[in-house]
Short mmCIF file of all heavy atoms in Angstrom, two decimals:
data_model
loop_
_atom_site.label_atom_id
_atom_site.label_comp_id
_atom_site.label_asym_id
_atom_site.label_seq_id
_atom_site.Cartn_x
_atom_site.Cartn_y
_atom_site.Cartn_z
N ALA A 68 60.71 88.32 122.91
CA ALA A 68 60.54 86.95 122.39
C ALA A 68 60.03 86.02 123.49
O ALA A 68 59.17 85.17 123.25
CB ALA A 68 61.87 86.44 121.83
N TRP A 69 60.55 86.20 124.69
CA TRP A 69 60.10 85.33 125.78
C TRP A 69 58.64 85.61 126.12
O TRP A 69 57.85 84.68 126.32
CB TRP A 69 60.98 85.52 127.02
CG TRP A 69 60.58 84.57 128.11
CD1 TRP A 69 60.81 83.23 128.14
CD2 TRP A 69 59.82 84.88 129.28
NE1 TRP A 69 60.24 82.67 129.27
CE2 TRP A 69 59.64 83.67 129.99
CE3 TRP A 69 59.30 86.06 129.80
CZ2 TRP A 69 58.94 83.62 131.18
CZ3 TRP A 69 58.61 86.00 131.00
CH2 TRP A 69 58.43 84.79 131.68
N LEU A 70 58.29 86.92 126.17
CA LEU A 70 56.90 87.26 126.47
C LEU A 70 55.96 86.75 125.38
O LEU A 70 54.86 86.28 125.65
CB LEU A 70 56.76 88.79 126.60
CG LEU A 70 57.44 89.39 127.84
CD1 LEU A 70 57.59 90.90 127.69
CD2 LEU A 70 56.63 89.06 129.09
N ALA A 71 56.40 86.86 124.12
CA ALA A 71 55.52 86.49 123.01
C ALA A 71 55.46 84.98 122.80
O ALA A 71 54.41 84.45 122.44
CB ALA A 71 56.00 87.17 121.73
N PHE A 72 56.57 84.29 123.01
CA PHE A 72 56.62 82.86 122.65
C PHE A 72 56.96 81.95 123.83
O PHE A 72 56.44 80.85 123.92
CB PHE A 72 57.64 82.61 121.53
CG PHE A 72 57.34 83.38 120.30
CD1 PHE A 72 58.09 84.50 119.96
CD2 PHE A 72 56.29 83.02 119.47
CE1 PHE A 72 57.81 85.22 118.81
CE2 PHE A 72 56.00 83.73 118.33
CZ PHE A 72 56.76 84.84 118.00
N GLY A 73 57.88 82.41 124.70
CA GLY A 73 58.36 81.55 125.78
C GLY A 73 57.25 81.18 126.75
O GLY A 73 57.28 80.13 127.37
N ARG A 74 56.24 82.07 126.91
CA ARG A 74 55.17 81.78 127.86
C ARG A 74 53.95 81.16 127.20
O ARG A 74 53.05 80.69 127.87
CB ARG A 74 54.72 83.09 128.55
CG ARG A 74 55.79 83.75 129.39
CD ARG A 74 55.23 84.96 130.08
NE ARG A 74 54.49 85.82 129.17
CZ ARG A 74 53.78 86.88 129.55
NH1 ARG A 74 53.69 87.17 130.83
NH2 ARG A 74 53.14 87.62 128.68
N ALA A 75 53.93 81.22 125.85
CA ALA A 75 52.75 80.69 125.14
C ALA A 75 52.73 79.17 125.18
O ALA A 75 53.77 78.54 125.38
CB ALA A 75 52.77 81.17 123.70
N GLU A 76 51.56 78.63 124.98
CA GLU A 76 51.43 77.17 124.95
C GLU A 76 52.28 76.64 123.80
O GLU A 76 52.31 77.21 122.70
CB GLU A 76 49.96 76.82 124.71
CG GLU A 76 49.65 75.36 124.91
CD GLU A 76 48.20 75.05 124.55
OE1 GLU A 76 47.41 76.01 124.50
OE2 GLU A 76 47.91 73.89 124.32
N ALA A 77 53.01 75.55 124.06
CA ALA A 77 53.88 74.99 123.01
C ALA A 77 53.03 74.56 121.82
O ALA A 77 51.93 74.05 121.97
CB ALA A 77 54.65 73.80 123.58
N GLY A 78 53.55 74.78 120.62
CA GLY A 78 52.83 74.37 119.41
C GLY A 78 52.87 75.46 118.38
O GLY A 78 53.40 76.54 118.61
N TRP A 79 52.33 75.15 117.22
CA TRP A 79 52.35 76.10 116.11
C TRP A 79 51.20 77.10 116.26
O TRP A 79 50.04 76.72 116.33
CB TRP A 79 52.19 75.34 114.79
CG TRP A 79 52.02 76.26 113.62
CD1 TRP A 79 50.83 76.63 113.04
CD2 TRP A 79 53.04 76.93 112.91
NE1 TRP A 79 51.08 77.50 112.01
CE2 TRP A 79 52.43 77.70 111.90
CE3 TRP A 79 54.44 76.97 113.02
CZ2 TRP A 79 53.15 78.48 111.01
CZ3 TRP A 79 55.16 77.75 112.13
CH2 TRP A 79 54.50 78.50 111.14
N HIS A 80 51.52 78.40 116.33
CA HIS A 80 50.49 79.43 116.40
C HIS A 80 50.79 80.48 115.34
O HIS A 80 51.90 81.01 115.30
CB HIS A 80 50.49 80.12 117.77
CG HIS A 80 50.37 79.16 118.91
ND1 HIS A 80 49.24 78.41 119.12
CD2 HIS A 80 51.24 78.82 119.88
CE1 HIS A 80 49.43 77.64 120.18
NE2 HIS A 80 50.63 77.87 120.66
N PRO A 81 49.83 80.82 114.51
CA PRO A 81 50.10 81.85 113.50
C PRO A 81 50.36 83.22 114.11
O PRO A 81 50.99 84.07 113.48
CB PRO A 81 48.83 81.87 112.65
CG PRO A 81 48.09 80.63 113.00
CD PRO A 81 48.51 80.22 114.37
N HIS A 82 49.93 83.45 115.34
CA HIS A 82 50.20 84.71 116.05
C HIS A 82 49.85 85.94 115.23
O HIS A 82 50.63 86.87 115.08
CB HIS A 82 51.69 84.80 116.44
CG HIS A 82 51.97 84.09 117.73
ND1 HIS A 82 51.67 84.60 118.95
CD2 HIS A 82 52.51 82.88 117.97
CE1 HIS A 82 52.02 83.76 119.90
NE2 HIS A 82 52.52 82.70 119.32
N ASP A 83 48.70 85.94 114.65
CA ASP A 83 48.18 87.13 113.93
C ASP A 83 49.14 87.64 112.87
O ASP A 83 49.19 88.84 112.60
CB ASP A 83 47.93 88.28 114.93
CG ASP A 83 46.76 87.98 115.83
OD1 ASP A 83 45.83 87.30 115.37
OD2 ASP A 83 46.79 88.43 116.98
N LEU A 84 49.92 86.75 112.25
CA LEU A 84 50.95 87.22 111.31
C LEU A 84 50.36 88.08 110.20
O LEU A 84 50.99 89.05 109.77
CB LEU A 84 51.67 86.02 110.69
CG LEU A 84 52.68 85.31 111.58
CD1 LEU A 84 53.25 84.10 110.88
CD2 LEU A 84 53.79 86.27 111.97
N TRP A 85 49.17 87.71 109.74
CA TRP A 85 48.58 88.46 108.62
C TRP A 85 47.78 89.67 109.08
O TRP A 85 47.13 90.33 108.28
CB TRP A 85 47.72 87.53 107.75
CG TRP A 85 48.56 86.59 106.95
CD1 TRP A 85 48.71 85.26 107.15
CD2 TRP A 85 49.42 86.92 105.84
NE1 TRP A 85 49.60 84.73 106.25
CE2 TRP A 85 50.04 85.73 105.43
CE3 TRP A 85 49.72 88.10 105.17
CZ2 TRP A 85 50.94 85.69 104.37
CZ3 TRP A 85 50.61 88.06 104.12
CH2 TRP A 85 51.21 86.87 103.72
N ARG A 86 47.77 89.95 110.39
CA ARG A 86 47.07 91.15 110.86
C ARG A 86 48.03 92.18 111.43
O ARG A 86 47.65 93.29 111.75
CB ARG A 86 46.03 90.77 111.93
CG ARG A 86 44.89 89.94 111.36
CD ARG A 86 43.64 90.05 112.18
NE ARG A 86 43.83 89.61 113.55
CZ ARG A 86 43.25 90.19 114.60
NH1 ARG A 86 42.50 91.25 114.44
NH2 ARG A 86 43.43 89.72 115.81
N ARG A 87 49.29 91.80 111.61
CA ARG A 87 50.27 92.74 112.17
C ARG A 87 50.91 93.56 111.05
O ARG A 87 51.32 93.00 110.02
CB ARG A 87 51.37 92.00 112.92
CG ARG A 87 50.90 91.41 114.23
CD ARG A 87 52.09 90.83 115.00
NE ARG A 87 51.62 90.17 116.20
CZ ARG A 87 51.34 90.81 117.34
NH1 ARG A 87 51.48 92.11 117.40
NH2 ARG A 87 50.92 90.13 118.38
N ALA A 88 51.03 94.85 111.29
CA ALA A 88 51.62 95.73 110.26
C ALA A 88 53.07 95.36 109.99
O ALA A 88 53.60 95.60 108.92
CB ALA A 88 51.53 97.18 110.72
N SER A 89 53.72 94.72 110.96
CA SER A 89 55.14 94.39 110.80
C SER A 89 55.35 93.14 109.96
O SER A 89 56.40 92.97 109.35
CB SER A 89 55.79 94.19 112.17
OG SER A 89 55.05 93.23 112.90
N THR A 90 54.35 92.26 109.90
CA THR A 90 54.56 90.99 109.21
C THR A 90 53.59 90.78 108.05
O THR A 90 53.52 89.69 107.49
CB THR A 90 54.44 89.81 110.19
OG1 THR A 90 53.18 89.91 110.87
CG2 THR A 90 55.56 89.80 111.19
N SER A 91 52.81 91.79 107.70
CA SER A 91 51.87 91.63 106.59
C SER A 91 51.99 92.80 105.62
O SER A 91 51.00 93.27 105.09
CB SER A 91 50.44 91.51 107.12
OG SER A 91 50.09 92.70 107.79
N ARG A 92 53.22 93.24 105.41
CA ARG A 92 53.52 94.32 104.45
C ARG A 92 52.79 95.60 104.79
O ARG A 92 52.39 96.36 103.92
CB ARG A 92 53.20 93.91 103.01
CG ARG A 92 53.95 92.67 102.57
CD ARG A 92 53.92 92.49 101.07
NE ARG A 92 54.54 91.23 100.70
CZ ARG A 92 53.87 90.13 100.37
NH1 ARG A 92 52.56 90.14 100.33
NH2 ARG A 92 54.53 89.03 100.05
N GLY A 93 52.58 95.85 106.09
CA GLY A 93 51.98 97.12 106.53
C GLY A 93 53.04 98.20 106.65
O GLY A 93 54.19 98.02 106.23
N ALA A 94 52.65 99.31 107.29
CA ALA A 94 53.55 100.47 107.38
C ALA A 94 54.86 100.11 108.10
O ALA A 94 55.94 100.53 107.69
CB ALA A 94 52.84 101.60 108.10
N VAL A 95 54.75 99.32 109.17
CA VAL A 95 55.95 98.96 109.93
C VAL A 95 56.91 98.13 109.07
O VAL A 95 58.13 98.31 109.10
CB VAL A 95 55.58 98.18 111.22
CG1 VAL A 95 56.82 97.82 112.02
CG2 VAL A 95 54.62 98.98 112.07
#
Side-chain angles (χ1 to χ4, degrees):
W69 184 73
L70 291 164
F72 301 106
R74 296 183 312 172
E76 191 185 342
W79 172 263
H80 305 295
H82 276 282
D83 290 328
L84 285 176
W85 287 108
R86 293 204 300 143
R87 288 187 185 278
S89 54
T90 54
S91 62
R92 302 195 186 103
V95 180

